[in-house]
Amino acid sequence: MGSNEQPDGASERALTLRLTPENVILAAAVLFLLAAVILAIFFSLESPNATGPTGTPIAINPTAQGTSSAIGTAPTSAAYPGPGSLFPTVSGQPYPGPGEPGGPTAVGIPGETTLPGGFATPTPIVGSLPTFDPSRPTDTGNGGSNPYPGPGGQQPTPVIVTPAPVYTPIPQPTPDTSFPTPDISFPTPDTSIPPTPPPPRPTATAVPPTAVPIDVVRGSMHWTANQSPITLPRDLQVAAGSTLVIEPGVEVRVAPGAAIYVDGKLYAAGTEGNPVRFTSAGAGRWDAIYGNSNSDIGLEYANVSRGGNGGTLIASKGGNLSIMNSRISDNGGHISAIDSRVDIRNSEISGNDMPYGGAINASYGIGGGITLQGNRIGGNRLAPGAPPVEIRNENPYTTLNMNVQGNLLVGEQGPDMVVYTDGGLLGSLSCNAMLNGTDGLMVKSSMVQVAPQIQLDISNNAIEDQTPPIIPTYLKYGIGRGATSDLYIDMKNNWWRSDLGPYHPDLHADGRGNSVGANITFEPWLTARPGCAPTR
């Protein structure tokens, strides 16, 4: 430390300064900052290269390592102080030094005494500025009287303040979201040159027209025994208004998969000793006889076998179906009628394999009538739960007329007979034998709240040999389910397999015949089997 004379010749004033490395560094930093400010002002006012081409200042982004990265090109200037000195030499320096006219204004240094009229002149620093050595030994300093430790003491951790980078965003071009419309036009053919016509097709290689895959009967036609056997290689159609009569003794052989479609009338009129036969013309089953609206199908003394390729053997929709004294066996389908007048009598339906539905399925939505009388229906392979006969009245506003009498119905894995009705029933269901199966008669309805009118005479039926359910009392006495019903029905005067009458756990626990369910009136019952019911 020493005394300094004021530049303006003022009286000398003693000032004691501590010339420590730290104080020197601090003073140098202040002077360096002041010089940088002066240079920045000068270049912003004088330098023609301080702005970009449009007059916008060029932004410079100093990095922590002391290098510059800028958007654009920054001007290079030698006015920045180099290492080892705070200012350039006076000879190459256009700026006045400290204390000179126009020189920098005196700035006080924290912890120092500012001399009036300018800067305190520190001891000149020779060489480069000292650097901190982070490996110096720890020192507790001088007891806290000086905020900076002495030589060899704990050095303060330098705080490096990096100026926030200044970025000038690069204007981004607006993306072009438009796409060129694809050219979907096709070149216009050159019509100036006529196309070469194709060579004429030789007559010898001409393909004949495809044959119609169905034969059609028009008008009135008779097939006689002299023409038998008659083979149908493909489908046959009896046109509307036309009639086909097949006389006794004729055998009709239908190709496997082929069918007979009836829009008019088909009558197979055999006799007891000379029936009409329908069979297959090959190893597989033929399809079926289909009756469409207003058609008539009449089979009398007819034997039908080896048909039902698709699960249906004879079907009528909106027509008339009559089967008399006929035998239907060894087929793969059932008889189906929808809104048709059905009359099947004295016929046998047995030995058939029926993949779905009952052996006879008759369904009505517009009313109508069905007659089943004197038929033997049993010994067929049915789907589980399917009955030999199922009759359905699906319209609550219509009444179905039923005449079901004297039939032998032998069940398999389902009821012997199912009557489903949402409307009224009128007629007779009597003198039938309902044997085997899981149930005898089953009446079902979805209109139990309305209670459709059931005006059927259900009497003189023999209901026997149903499979007992797995219930102790039923198993002990061999009691099966003789009848169940969703609706109230009157079943007086029927035979339930025992002269003690049907079993009912609440109403007739002493009965040993097949049981009756709720909604069934069963007293009085028959004490002997009725003679009008057929036997096996």
Side-chain angles (χ1 to χ4, degrees):
M1 295 299 182
S3 60
N4 293 310
E5 254 187 47
Q6 301 299 328
D8 54 0
S11 60
E12 183 178 358
R13 183 178 297 175
L15 178 64
T16 303
L17 297 177
R18 298 179 180 175
L19 295 179
T20 63
E22 292 79 7
N23 292 337
V24 173
I25 293 173
L26 182 60
V30 172
L31 295 176
F32 181 82
L33 180 61
L34 181 60
V37 171
I38 294 172
L39 291 175
I41 294 173
F42 178 80
F43 276 98
S44 64
L45 296 177
E46 300 296 334
S47 176
N49 297 323
T51 60
T54 60
T56 303
I58 298 176
I60 299 174
N61 178 22
T63 62
Q65 289 76 17
T67 60
S68 316
S69 63
I71 300 173
T73 304
T76 303
S77 175
Y80 294 99
S85 64
L86 296 179
F87 295 98
T89 57
V90 177
S91 59
Q93 168 69 6
Y95 308 108
E100 298 179 0
T105 305
V107 178
I109 300 175
E112 298 287 349
T113 302
T114 303
L115 299 180
F119 286 103
T121 303
T123 302
I125 301 174
V126 179
S128 61
L129 296 176
T131 60
F132 293 103
D133 184 2
S135 64
R136 291 183 180 179
T138 303
D139 190 356
T140 59
N142 55 7
S145 60
N146 188 350
Y148 299 98
Q154 178 65 39
Q155 300 297 320
T157 302
V159 178
I160 302 174
V161 180
T162 303
V166 179
Y167 295 99
T168 301
I170 300 175
Q172 299 295 325
T174 303
D176 183 7
T177 58
S178 63
F179 296 93
T181 303
D183 182 9
I184 58 174
S185 61
F186 295 94
T188 303
D190 185 4
T191 58
S192 60
I193 302 176
T196 303
R201 192 172 187 177
T203 306
T205 60
V207 178
T210 303
V212 178
I214 189 169
D215 293 324
V216 181
V217 173
R218 301 186 187 278
S220 180
M221 179 177 288
H222 285 243
W223 291 346
T224 66
N226 294 332
Q227 299 171 305
S228 182
I230 295 176
T231 301
L232 304 181
R234 49 185 169 265
D235 293 345
L236 175 72
Q237 179 190 14
V238 180
S242 302
T243 301
L244 173 62
V245 178
I246 306 175
E247 296 183 354
V250 174
E251 181 173 288
V252 180
R253 299 175 181 176
V254 187
I260 300 174
Y261 297 92
V262 182
D263 294 307
K265 299 177 182 180
L266 169 65
Y267 298 131
T271 62
E272 184 175 2
N274 201 15
V276 173
R277 294 179 175 84
F278 291 88
T279 188
S280 178
R285 298 187 187 275
W286 59 283
D287 193 0
I289 300 174
Y290 296 104
N292 295 317
S293 180
N294 299 317
S295 65
D296 285 343
I297 298 175
L299 306 179
E300 184 171 5
Y301 287 105
N303 294 340
V304 184
S305 63
R306 300 182 65 193
N309 179 65
T312 298
L313 177 67
I314 301 173
S316 175
K317 184 176 182 181
N320 299 311
L321 174 62
S322 175
I323 303 175
M324 305 287 182
N325 303 304
S326 296
R327 187 169 188 268
I328 297 173
S329 63
D330 189 24
N331 295 285
H334 59 215
I335 297 172
S336 173
I338 300 174
D339 292 326
S340 298
R341 185 178 301 160
V342 177
D343 191 351
I344 303 176
R345 305 188 191 202
N346 305 317
S347 296
E348 179 180 326
I349 303 173
S350 64
N352 300 284
D353 189 357
M354 301 173 176
Y356 57 89
I360 296 177
N361 294 279
S363 176
Y364 297 87
I366 58 174
I370 180 171
T371 296
L372 302 176
Q373 187 171 333
N375 302 292
R376 301 173 65 85
I377 306 172
N380 301 293
R381 185 190 300 179
L382 301 172
V389 174
E390 180 174 339
I391 300 173
R392 302 175 68 89
N393 178 18
E394 299 178 332
N395 191 335
Y397 304 104
T398 61
T399 298
L400 176 64
N401 292 284
M402 294 176 55
N403 181 17
V404 181
Q405 300 184 58
N407 300 284
L408 174 64
L409 308 177
V410 182
E412 298 294 329
Q413 302 180 60
D416 300 320
M417 183 174 182
V418 174
V419 177
Y420 178 95
T421 183
D422 283 341
L425 297 176
L426 178 65
S428 175
L429 198 162
S430 61
C431 292
N432 301 286
M434 303 180 189
L435 310 179
N436 297 357
T438 58
D439 302 77
L441 173 65
M442 179 181 290
V443 178
K444 303 199 57 77
S445 176
S446 64
M447 303 290 289
V448 294
Q449 299 87 351
V450 179
Q453 294 295 316
I454 308 298
Q455 300 180 38
L456 282 177
D457 175 20
I458 310 176
S459 64
N460 293 298
N461 297 288
I463 304 174
E464 304 171 308
D465 301 331
Q466 279 71 45
T467 304
I470 305 176
I471 299 174
T473 301
Y474 286 73
L475 294 173
K476 180 179 180 181
Y477 298 105
I479 298 171
R481 290 193 172 98
T484 60
S485 179
D486 293 339
L487 305 171
Y488 171 78
I489 57 176
D490 187 343
M491 291 190 69
K492 300 184 185 77
N493 299 313
N494 287 282
W495 168 251
W496 301 94
R497 191 189 59 88
S498 171
D499 58 356
L500 297 176
Y503 172 78
H504 190 287
D506 299 323
L507 301 178
H508 191 48
D510 294 334
R512 293 296 176 261
N514 288 339
S515 68
V516 294
N519 304 318
I520 299 175
T521 298
F522 55 87
E523 293 185 89
W525 56 83
L526 297 180
T527 58
R529 196 178 196 275
C532 65
T535 59
R536 291 178 183 271

